[in-house]
Amino acid sequence: MTTITNHMPTKELQALDAAHHMHPFTEDAALAKKGARIITRGKGVFLTDSEGNEILDGMAGLWCVNLGYGRKELAEVAARQMEELCYYNTFFQTSHVPAIALAAKIAELAPGDLNHVFYAGSGSEANDTNIRLVRRYWDVKGKPEKNIIISRKNAYHGSTMGGASLGGMSGMHAQGGLPIPNIVHINQPHWYAEGGDATPEEFGLARARELEAKIEELGADRVAAFIGEPIQGAGGVIIPPATYWPEIQRICDKHGILLIADEVITGFGRTGNWFGSQTMGIKPHIMTIAKGLSSGYAPIGGSIICDEVFNTIAGSGDDFNHGYTYCGHPVAAAVALRNLELLEEEKVLDHVRNVAHPYLMERWQALSDHPLVGEAKLAGLMGSIALTPNKETRAKFASDAGTVGYITRERCFANNLVMRHVGDRMIISPPLVITPSEIDILIERATKSLDEAYAKIRSEGLLKAA
Ligand SMILES: *Cc1c(COP(=O)(O)O)cnc(C)c1O
């Protein structure tokens, strides 16, 4: 076999990709006809593809490359760690320095008594761990029947059996016999799409109180935990009304329900604080982390666990019968630690709060003047715009959900901007290090793409409300 390199013609790479590489969340036969876009390198906020295009990555990969691409410091740490100790496990009464140092650092950064880290290889795995943790916790407390976890429709908590069950994506539940037992879903706090005539404040309260109704219906002695993303990411960057999270916190406290904040996207600076829970003013018992933990330079995730839950399980007199070969993988842990240090040394959170967020906010919100845009929202550096045929009524399109979003996404792609669509919502989550002049490029390409999409949608007769 010939060596496959960056220098092969795109068509040949695409053919090999189609022949042997099955893609996640993809209709592979359709992709094979079109050919995947082949990404060859990255630097800062820009990617290069096999045709030499320079693409502004408005999604930081999959919400993860927070420090931007091509950081030598992280490559060097990985190489050094591979030479020193490439791998060792943490199962059988052993530990190693990268796992220890990273756990101590995470505990330092995490608020309150979130002092304990259980490692995983990804966010999905960490949420599987969380299911085990909360059920084990109540088990040790003598309440094994307190095992139901309440989540939300349109939540994203990963793609393993546990993660996808916690998630509320109907398309995922439709395949493979999901959700697993004793996971139930309430409605999401998505005012723009579902709020009707209520004010956002009223709607946020009403949606939070669905949790209380569900707990009362099931009985608090059956409910182990509630899980939510402080800001829903993959569901469409849905920033809940200000009334929502304080009410969820009150309800969890009142009924003795553990609160799990899935911080896989919102952790490590994305919202301008170390954790989205701080931005939303909540105090979870467990946080799920991954993605920005290593800025995507190495696969690593985990659960940050409060003293009470940790001490209960740790002191149960029995092993916690759960773990992954790569729990606290030394190379991934060393890279993640250096990533966190760089976030601090380079004052990246200050940059998000004082420079990037305010500037992007001003330019992003101005997009709501575009005829296709119903609202433009931004928290820290995660943003969304709702596409609509009628701004006043927040109408949905008559076409299948996602048709207009997909057209818009394709225009972005053609204009060398990665902006994702979730249904007919466009979303961004750029590297946290993005500068004002790069934000100008992002907005310029987004505006051009919206203009082109608008023209296409009109000419195809798609500008019709449902
Ligand atoms: C991406 C994501 C996950 C899953 O993480 P993986 O590393 O893809 O397994 C879980 N929760 C949230 C909120 C995510 O955005």
Side-chain angles (χ1 to χ4, degrees):
M1 193 168 156
T2 54
T3 312
I4 299 169
T5 75
N6 267 355
H7 303 292
M8 274 177 88
T10 302
K11 284 257 174 292
E12 284 178 39
L13 288 167
Q14 288 172 330
L16 283 165
D17 185 65
H20 304 296
H21 175 204
M22 186 169 179
H23 289 245
F25 288 103
T26 297
E27 184 187 346
D28 278 284
L31 177 63
K33 289 205 189 86
K34 190 178 172 194
R37 192 165 190 171
I38 316 281
I39 305 301
T40 51
R41 41 177 47 86
K43 187 82 196 149
V45 303
F46 289 98
L47 298 165
T48 306
D49 72 9
S50 56
E51 298 291 290
N53 293 301
E54 295 257 307
I55 308 156
L56 195 153
D57 185 4
M59 285 304 300
L62 277 178
W63 328 79
C64 52
V65 188
N66 287 353
L67 268 189
Y69 295 90
R71 293 295 305 252
K72 251 195 164 44
E73 299 91 328
L74 298 177
E76 284 166 1
V77 155
R80 215 182 306 136
Q81 187 59 48
M82 279 191 193
E83 287 184 35
E84 195 171 288
L85 180 69
C86 65
Y87 174 76
Y88 200 69
N89 76 76
T90 52
F91 285 25
F92 304 115
Q93 307 191 359
T94 55
S95 198
H96 51 67
V97 175
I100 297 167
L102 179 61
K105 184 73 200 171
I106 291 169
E108 176 199 317
L109 296 175
D113 67 350
L114 289 158
N115 287 323
H116 314 272
V117 179
F118 190 100
Y119 290 113
S122 69
S124 303
E125 286 180 9
N127 277 326
D128 278 33
T129 296
N130 291 339
I131 298 173
R132 307 282 300 267
L133 279 171
V134 299
R135 289 181 175 167
R136 178 70 187 143
Y137 171 78
W138 290 114
D139 213 7
V140 175
K141 289 272 190 189
K143 298 181 176 174
E145 70 294 341
K146 196 168 161 70
N147 59 17
I148 298 174
I149 302 170
I150 302 178
S151 179
R152 301 167 312 167
K153 293 175 188 161
N154 199 36
Y156 189 78
H157 297 298
S159 194
T160 50
M161 291 296 281
S165 295
L166 290 173
M169 299 283 174
S170 51
M172 294 173 76
H173 287 183
Q175 298 175 356
L178 298 175
I180 59 172
N182 290 342
I183 293 176
V184 302
H185 299 83
I186 58 175
N187 283 306
Q188 57 178 334
H190 190 352
W191 175 81
Y192 186 87
E194 301 172 2
D197 294 331
T199 65
E201 291 71 27
E202 291 164 354
F203 181 74
L205 272 184
R207 283 289 155 101
R209 286 179 186 158
E210 285 193 21
L211 174 61
E212 189 146 47
K214 185 55 85 180
I215 293 169
E216 283 165 0
E217 175 196 324
L218 297 164
D221 53 350
R222 291 291 327 275
V223 180
F226 174 76
I227 183 168
E229 305 152 81
I231 296 169
Q232 283 160 267
V237 182
I238 298 155
I239 305 167
T243 48
Y244 180 77
W245 275 113
E247 184 67 0
I248 293 282
Q249 178 81 62
R250 181 194 70 76
I251 293 165
C252 288
D253 291 348
K254 177 177 163 204
H255 295 277
I257 308 298
L258 296 176
L259 177 58
I260 307 169
D262 186 335
E263 295 266 7
V264 169
I265 289 173
T266 51
F268 307 107
R270 177 56 57 193
T271 71
N273 290 304
W274 281 104
F275 297 95
S277 293
Q278 295 163 317
T279 304
M280 294 291 147
I282 50 171
K283 294 190 162 62
H285 298 91
I286 296 174
M287 286 179 176
T288 322
I289 53 173
K291 294 189 175 134
L293 170 58
S294 67
S295 280
Y297 279 74
I300 184 167
S303 305
I304 322 179
I305 306 158
C306 71
D307 288 342
E308 160 67 15
V309 171
F310 170 78
N311 289 333
T312 300
I313 296 173
S316 72
D318 203 349
D319 288 350
F320 179 48
N321 293 317
H322 175 68
Y324 311 105
T325 299
Y326 294 140
C327 274
H329 189 286
V331 177
V335 169
L337 178 62
R338 190 73 194 110
N339 171 61
L340 299 181
E341 289 170 356
L342 287 168
L343 286 172
E344 283 186 317
E345 287 166 18
E346 297 174 0
K347 300 188 169 34
V348 173
L349 272 63
D350 288 349
H351 170 77
V352 172
R353 271 197 299 266
N354 303 326
V355 180
H357 169 79
Y359 188 62
L360 180 56
M361 184 73 158
E362 180 190 323
R363 302 227 49 197
W364 190 249
Q365 281 194 323
L367 291 177
S368 59
D369 296 334
H370 194 278
L372 200 52
V373 175
E375 71 165 3
K377 293 281 184 190
L378 184 73
L381 287 181
M382 58 195 294
S384 52
I385 52 185
L387 306 177
T388 178
N390 185 331
K391 289 168 184 277
E392 279 66 45
T393 61
R394 315 202 302 269
K396 297 182 174 69
F397 289 95
S399 48
D400 288 346
T403 308
V404 169
Y406 181 77
I407 290 170
T408 308
R409 203 241 4 210
E410 289 295 277
R411 294 325 306 153
C412 292
F413 229 47
N415 289 317
N416 289 328
L417 170 66
V418 179
M419 175 153 70
R420 235 171 101 179
H421 79 107
V422 176
D424 295 321
R425 262 180 115 74
M426 306 306 298
I427 60 176
I428 55 162
S429 170
L432 302 184
V433 295
I434 192 168
T435 63
S437 63
E438 290 163 346
I439 288 171
D440 287 338
I441 298 171
L442 188 158
I443 295 292
E444 184 191 309
R445 292 181 185 179
T447 306
K448 180 164 188 277
S449 305
L450 284 167
D451 289 345
E452 290 171 6
Y454 187 58
K456 186 170 158 88
I457 288 155
R458 278 172 49 165
S459 75
E460 292 183 6
L462 291 169
L463 199 67
K464 281 205 287 279

